[in-house]
Amino acid sequence: MDLEELIHNCKKGKRQAQAELYRRYSGILFGMCLKYSRNRTEAEDNLHDSFMTIFDKIDQYGFQGSFEGWMKRITINTVLQKYRKDQYLNVISENIEEEVEVETDQTDIRLSTLLGYIQELPNKYRITFCLYVLDGYSHKEISEMLGTSTGTSKSNLARAKSILRDKIEKTKINIA
């Protein structure tokens, strides 16, 4: 079944089409949820919530632009909405105008280790880091998504990078 037919069948509420859509895209969307979540269980919950929203809003998809991109945007918004509702995102009053670049020597580090470090970041830092570094959003877009200032976004990113740099440096010491 091609993608367009699959989407039409999902719009009609056909369970078999929904199961196929889930099978095709759950891996990609789970990876996104994993980046924004503190652990695997939370990522699974976020994936489930995201697919519920996708199936609920699939009538709004008008076949313009990438369907995968549309689903990714819903997934990010679903996760952010959950964190906003649960008040995981605390606004800080710092305002760093310059973007701080964190440099570290190249170190071979396992992807799973790096993902673990990202997941350990406090929510506001982890979400800002993922939106900016991994998903390519600008500070202006992030501030609009999170309801904060661009300075807060820059500050949260700088703190996230600093924390990650420290963890990577400690890993480097343990490897040596």
Side-chain angles (χ1 to χ4, degrees), residues 4-175:
E4 190 170 332
E5 183 181 357
L6 184 62
I7 294 168
H8 282 300
N9 285 336
C10 284
K11 286 183 176 190
K12 293 176 185 175
K14 294 187 177 181
R15 296 277 183 208
Q16 191 173 17
Q18 291 174 336
E20 175 65 17
L21 187 74
Y22 181 87
R23 187 190 64 72
R24 284 189 193 182
Y25 292 100
S26 61
I28 293 166
L29 298 180
F30 181 69
M32 291 193 68
C33 290
L34 203 52
K35 297 188 295 197
Y36 289 96
S37 303
R38 291 175 294 212
N39 55 51
R40 189 173 185 82
T41 302
E42 189 174 280
E44 289 168 354
D45 289 344
N46 287 334
L47 178 67
H48 173 74
D49 293 344
S50 295
F51 266 102
M52 295 302 292
T53 303
I54 288 166
F55 293 138
D56 187 48
K57 296 183 181 234
I58 199 161
D59 282 334
Q60 296 175 12
Y61 180 69
F63 296 94
Q64 294 181 350
S66 162
F67 181 66
E68 185 176 319
W70 180 80
M71 289 191 305
K72 285 179 178 181
R73 184 69 179 195
I74 285 180
T75 301
I76 289 171
N77 286 337
T78 300
V79 172
L80 294 180
Q81 183 179 19
K82 176 182 177 182
Y83 288 122
R84 277 193 297 265
K85 183 181 91 174
D86 293 341
Q87 296 180 345
Y88 284 127
L89 297 172
N90 297 322
V91 178
I92 61 174
S93 60
E94 290 182 50
N95 196 6
I96 296 179
E97 292 302 322
E98 291 182 35
E99 190 170 326
V100 177
E101 284 299 318
V102 176
E103 292 186 24
T104 184
D105 294 335
Q106 286 189 344
T107 302
D108 290 334
I109 186 167
R110 298 185 120 191
L111 184 58
S112 60
T113 302
L114 184 58
L115 179 60
Y117 292 162
I118 293 169
Q119 289 175 327
E120 291 171 1
L121 289 170
N123 291 320
K124 59 189 172 188
Y125 303 151
R126 182 183 66 250
I127 290 171
T128 301
F129 179 85
C130 289
L131 287 170
Y132 187 85
V133 175
L134 303 178
D135 290 322
Y137 288 96
S138 70
H139 286 295
K140 182 179 182 207
E141 291 170 319
I142 294 168
S143 67
E144 289 170 0
M145 293 168 87
L146 302 180
T148 63
S149 70
T150 56
T152 297
S153 176
K154 290 176 182 181
S155 174
N156 288 347
L157 177 63
R159 294 227 180 196
K161 286 181 175 182
S162 177
I163 291 167
L164 290 173
R165 183 196 66 229
D166 290 346
K167 288 179 181 271
I168 291 168
E169 288 297 321
K170 286 178 184 173
T171 299
K172 188 172 141 182
I173 291 169
N174 291 336
I175 292 173

